Amino acid sequence: MRVILKLKHLSLRQKLILSSIACLVLPTVAMLYISSYYSKLIIREHTLEKATQSLAIVQSQANAIMEELVSISNFVQFDPEIKTLLEEAQDHPIAARQLTARLEQIAGEKPDLRLTLLTRDGRAYSDYSFYDFEPQQFTQQDWFAKASRLTAYETLFLGGLRNYLPPLDQDQGYVYLTARALTEAVDQAPFAYLIVSRTEDSIRDLFAGLEEDVYLLSDEGTILSNRNADVIGQPFHTIMNEETSSSPSFIHLRGENQIHLSLPLRYADWRLVSLAPYEQLTGKLNTFYQSALLLQSLFAIFFLFALTYLLGRFTKPVRLLGEAAKKVESGDLQYRSNIRGRDEIGRLGRSFDMMLDRIQQMLQQVEIEQQLKRQAEMAMLQAQVHPHFLFNVLSSIRLKLLLKHDEDTAHVVGSLASLLRASLMRQNEFVTLYAEIETTMQYIDLMKFTMRFPTECHLDIQPDPLTITVPRFILQPIIENAYKHGFTQSGGIITIKVVTDAQMLRITIEDNGLGMTPETLQTLKDRFNVQKRDVIEQMIAEERTAASGIGLFNVYSRLKLIYSDRFEMNIHSVYGEQTTIVLIFPAAEPAKSVKVGEQHV
């Protein structure tokens, strides 16, 4: 809550800088966090994929080795030459030597591949010397009982056994082998047993160069092969408990994170298990990621300082403009911001200074208008010579005319009294449209009495005249011009039409009198094509006031001072035919109404 209150007291410039920094920092932090999260996922998936591919390659190679043992067993079992030599070797030593040579030929160039044939009658043949190992000892092994119970074409796989021959290398301490009972038919007893073996290092060599620690396990979970020969023959659960983890999975083992993978071999339900050190496999990727993260952070910090500096420079005019506003608020209207430029701030500074200039001009204009007001009030006082006395005299004359039954003359005198009363009473500058129309009709009645040519007046008032207020005496001067200049040679018709359109009042005064020449009309339009200040200057130059002036200029100047640019006067005239004057101004009374001679700024 306190932070929010403090933020409310910050300046616009400070809020802009903080907002910009927040808009940079927050997305950057979010981007770095998301990048970190997904980068770790990608690295993890990449590492898992790499470990899986490595183990899949070992699986393929181990299957090939096991396939080779099975192929050799199949070849020996179905080779008729071996079957014949095996039968002849019982009585002929030459056949026995040929059988041994045949076995050596099958073993080929693989020095660790050993073949042994054991007959049911106790004979033994092999590709190695009996001085190194007596083959009949196989029959004394625990697993041989399983081999003797094998059916035709069934193979027994064994691993993790001690090498029964003197090793050619110190790493050849263990062997894995296959055993098969050789029969001529499925339902016949075996005539011999075939044992094919290879040293364990043939599989161990597959693990060389791998970063992962790979184990070959039996179906019972016994370790059959590993880079560390000391663990061969031990249960794998002494290293890790596979029951609590699935494959693939990430486990914590030996003080570090490990990737646990397991892939089955094609034969004997053996399987390969890989334990890959996660940090070791991802070391290079993590180094690259951390470098990239550090570089991104440095760039973000650099951009943050650059943004702060640039925002300070760009918002400096805003600060200066604020200081200028405080100066003006304290009353120093002479102070100017002097901020210039082609951007928005420059235009704002220029507009601010122009506004202050305009305010000073308006203050001067108010002083001038107040002076005009005082002049108008003085003229009004000079014109008001005993108004009550004049009203009483006219009322007496009208009463005597009525007593003599001269109602027409009494009506004219009554109109004159009413018109005089309306022209001399200055309580309100605004009257209802009804009162303005009534005053205009009283003036027309007087003009009918004085003019020798007959005239008529038609009214078309659409809005309610009692609900709309207008400035006083805006119609009488126009009607007076129509009589003085339009009906000098003949009578005619005056039409007054009032309509409202979009909150604007449109008053049209039309007469079918003499009209104006094009030159006179253009001169009149040029005179009225001025702004409010020009109207004031013309009034001062011509020594006119709102109270003493008559005619079109009086109407135009008063309405222009009251409504400013919201007032519009249009004049149309055809010489010898007609003249139309249209007044357009707001239908509502301005917020501040003034008396005669008082203007609005």
Side-chain angles (χ1 to χ4, degrees):
M1 192 67 178
R2 293 181 179 179
V3 175
I4 297 177
L5 292 176
K6 289 181 179 180
L7 290 176
K8 289 183 178 180
H9 290 87
L10 294 178
S11 64
L12 175 62
R13 179 171 176 262
Q14 292 172 332
K15 291 180 180 178
L16 181 61
I17 293 177
L18 287 178
S19 300
S20 301
I21 292 175
C23 290
L24 173 66
V25 172
L26 294 180
T28 301
V29 172
M31 180 191 67
L32 292 177
Y33 174 78
I34 295 173
S35 175
S36 174
Y37 176 77
Y38 283 102
S39 295
K40 290 180 179 179
L41 287 181
I42 293 172
I43 292 174
R44 184 170 178 171
E45 293 296 329
H46 175 76
T47 305
L48 181 60
E49 182 181 0
K50 178 183 176 183
T52 304
Q53 290 177 353
S54 299
L55 190 61
I57 294 174
V58 174
Q59 178 194 38
S60 175
Q61 295 172 340
N63 280 330
I65 293 176
M66 303 298 289
E67 182 72 31
E68 182 183 31
L69 297 182
V70 174
S71 298
I72 292 174
S73 299
N74 291 335
F75 180 80
V76 172
Q77 182 173 4
F78 297 106
D79 188 357
E81 181 181 357
I82 292 179
K83 179 68 169 55
T84 302
L85 290 175
L86 191 61
E87 292 176 353
E88 295 176 354
Q90 185 177 3
D91 299 322
H92 299 86
I94 296 177
R97 286 195 297 270
Q98 290 177 346
L99 180 57
T100 300
R102 182 60 175 163
L103 293 177
E104 291 176 352
Q105 182 183 5
I106 294 173
E109 299 179 355
K110 295 183 175 59
D112 65 328
L113 181 61
R114 293 291 180 259
L115 283 74
T116 304
L117 278 173
L118 299 175
T119 63
R120 292 178 62 84
D121 56 6
R123 290 176 292 133
Y125 304 93
S126 69
D127 62 342
Y128 53 85
S129 173
F130 286 2
Y131 293 105
D132 294 331
F133 180 72
E134 172 55 48
Q136 289 297 336
Q137 294 182 16
F138 281 130
T139 60
Q140 301 173 5
Q141 301 291 329
D142 294 337
W143 55 265
F144 192 79
K146 296 180 181 179
S148 62
R149 293 192 296 268
L150 294 175
T151 60
Y153 315 122
E154 188 176 3
T155 304
L156 176 65
F157 292 87
L158 299 170
L161 302 176
R162 286 288 180 177
N163 196 345
Y164 54 89
L165 295 173
L168 301 177
D169 189 271
Q170 60 179 1
D171 293 332
Q172 296 178 345
Y174 293 90
V175 295
Y176 59 93
L177 55 82
T178 62
R180 179 178 293 188
L182 304 181
T183 61
E184 294 183 353
V186 176
D187 55 350
Q188 293 180 0
F191 60 85
Y193 297 95
L194 173 64
I195 299 171
V196 182
S197 69
R198 289 195 67 177
T199 56
E200 178 268 340
D201 64 323
S202 61
I203 291 182
R204 190 193 314 159
D205 291 342
L206 302 178
F207 309 154
L210 296 179
E211 296 178 347
E212 300 87 346
D213 191 10
V214 181
Y215 297 84
L216 175 60
L217 304 182
S218 67
D219 56 342
E220 297 177 352
T222 303
I223 300 174
L224 305 180
S225 180
N226 183 255
R227 278 196 292 249
N228 182 12
D230 295 335
V231 300
I232 296 177
Q234 297 180 9
F236 185 66
H237 67 77
T238 59
I239 296 176
M240 70 163 289
N241 186 6
E242 283 192 297
E243 294 181 357
T244 60
S245 65
S246 59
S247 175
S249 63
F250 289 82
I251 62 174
H252 189 73
L253 185 65
R254 301 168 185 169
E256 58 182 355
N257 294 321
Q258 304 270 356
I259 300 177
H260 170 234
L261 292 172
S262 178
L263 293 178
L265 293 184
R266 191 177 303 165
Y267 301 98
D269 292 332
W270 291 2
R271 55 197 173 91
L272 292 170
V273 175
S274 169
L275 295 177
Y278 181 76
E279 281 76 13
Q280 181 178 346
L281 294 177
T282 61
K284 294 182 179 179
L285 292 176
N286 281 330
T287 301
F288 173 76
Y289 163 71
Q290 291 173 359
S291 300
L293 183 63
L294 177 61
L295 188 61
Q296 290 178 355
S297 301
L298 291 176
F299 273 117
I301 294 173
F302 171 76
F303 288 139
L304 181 62
F305 280 109
L307 177 64
T308 304
Y309 172 74
L310 292 176
L311 285 175
R313 284 185 59 89
F314 294 156
T315 58
K316 182 179 179 181
V318 178
R319 177 176 58 82
L320 296 177
L321 193 60
E323 294 176 356
K326 288 184 178 180
K327 290 282 188 180
V328 174
E329 184 181 3
S330 64
D332 186 4
L333 296 180
Q334 302 297 327
Y335 188 85
R336 297 294 182 269
S337 66
N338 296 321
I339 298 174
R340 299 294 181 267
R342 297 183 179 180
D343 57 4
E344 293 81 358
I345 301 298
R347 292 195 293 270
L348 180 61
R350 184 169 55 254
S351 300
F352 181 80
D353 292 345
M354 292 176 63
M355 179 187 68
L356 293 178
D357 295 339
R358 180 59 178 165
I359 289 175
Q360 285 192 320
Q361 293 176 1
M362 294 175 67
L363 292 176
Q364 296 174 359
Q365 179 177 318
V366 169
E367 293 179 0
I368 296 175
E369 291 177 357
Q370 292 297 326
Q371 182 180 359
L372 292 176
K373 174 186 175 182
R374 290 191 293 271
Q375 294 176 357
E377 291 175 348
M378 181 61 68
M380 178 187 67
L381 293 175
Q382 293 174 353
Q384 291 178 345
V385 180
H386 305 295
H388 296 289
F389 172 75
L390 295 177
F391 296 152
N392 292 335
V393 171
L394 290 175
S395 296
S396 300
I397 294 174
R398 179 174 177 275
L399 181 60
K400 288 185 178 182
L401 290 173
L402 289 174
L403 292 175
K404 293 181 179 181
H405 302 289
D406 190 353
E407 296 180 357
D408 293 338
T409 306
H411 177 71
V412 172
V413 172
S415 298
L416 176 60
S418 298
L419 182 62
L420 183 60
R421 181 184 297 107
S423 62
L424 294 179
M425 295 182 66
R426 305 293 182 172
Q427 286 82 0
N428 294 313
E429 173 66 8
F430 287 84
V431 297
T432 63
L433 179 61
Y434 175 83
E436 180 66 15
I437 295 296
E438 184 180 26
T439 300
T440 302
M441 295 305 299
Q442 291 170 351
Y443 176 78
I444 291 176
D445 290 341
L446 292 175
M447 295 306 295
K448 287 181 180 180
F449 182 77
T450 59
M451 296 290 293
R452 62 174 180 168
F453 300 110
T455 60
E456 296 180 8
C457 180
H458 296 167
L459 297 177
D460 183 5
I461 313 298
Q462 294 186 12
D464 186 357
L466 294 175
T467 60
I468 297 177
T469 58
V470 297
R472 302 172 71 246
F473 282 100
I474 58 173
L475 299 181
Q476 184 272 334
I478 300 176
I479 301 299
E480 181 180 355
N481 278 350
Y483 277 104
K484 284 185 177 181
H485 304 291
F487 298 140
T488 57
Q489 300 178 4
S490 63
I493 299 174
I494 297 174
T495 302
I496 301 175
K497 183 177 181 181
V498 182
V499 297
T500 55
D501 182 17
Q503 305 297 323
M504 299 297 287
L505 191 67
R506 180 187 293 269
I507 302 177
T508 303
I509 303 97
E510 181 179 358
D511 69 78
N512 58 353
L514 183 61
M516 290 180 281
T517 63
E519 294 77 11
T520 303
L521 178 62
Q522 187 60 43
T523 301
L524 195 60
K525 287 183 177 182
D526 292 340
R527 185 181 183 187
F528 292 157
N529 188 21
V530 293
Q531 300 299 320
K532 179 178 178 180
R533 184 174 181 81
D534 298 329
V535 170
I536 297 174
E537 293 177 352
Q538 287 187 26
M539 293 177 65
I540 296 174
E542 298 178 10
E543 295 183 354
R544 293 174 177 265
T545 65
S548 61
I550 60 174
L552 287 179
F553 182 75
N554 174 268
V555 175
Y556 178 83
S557 61
R558 289 174 60 219
L559 293 177
K560 195 67 175 178
L561 289 173
I562 294 173
Y563 296 107
S564 187
D565 294 337
R566 295 177 296 171
F567 165 68
E568 180 180 351
M569 174 186 281
N570 299 321
I571 303 176
H572 306 279
S573 181
V574 178
Y575 184 70
E577 295 183 8
Q578 60 88 25
T579 298
T580 302
I581 298 176
V582 181
L583 306 178
I584 303 173
F585 52 88
E589 182 178 344
K592 179 182 177 182
S593 60
V594 295
K595 298 180 181 180
V596 176
E598 184 176 359
Q599 291 82 28
H600 289 261
V601 179

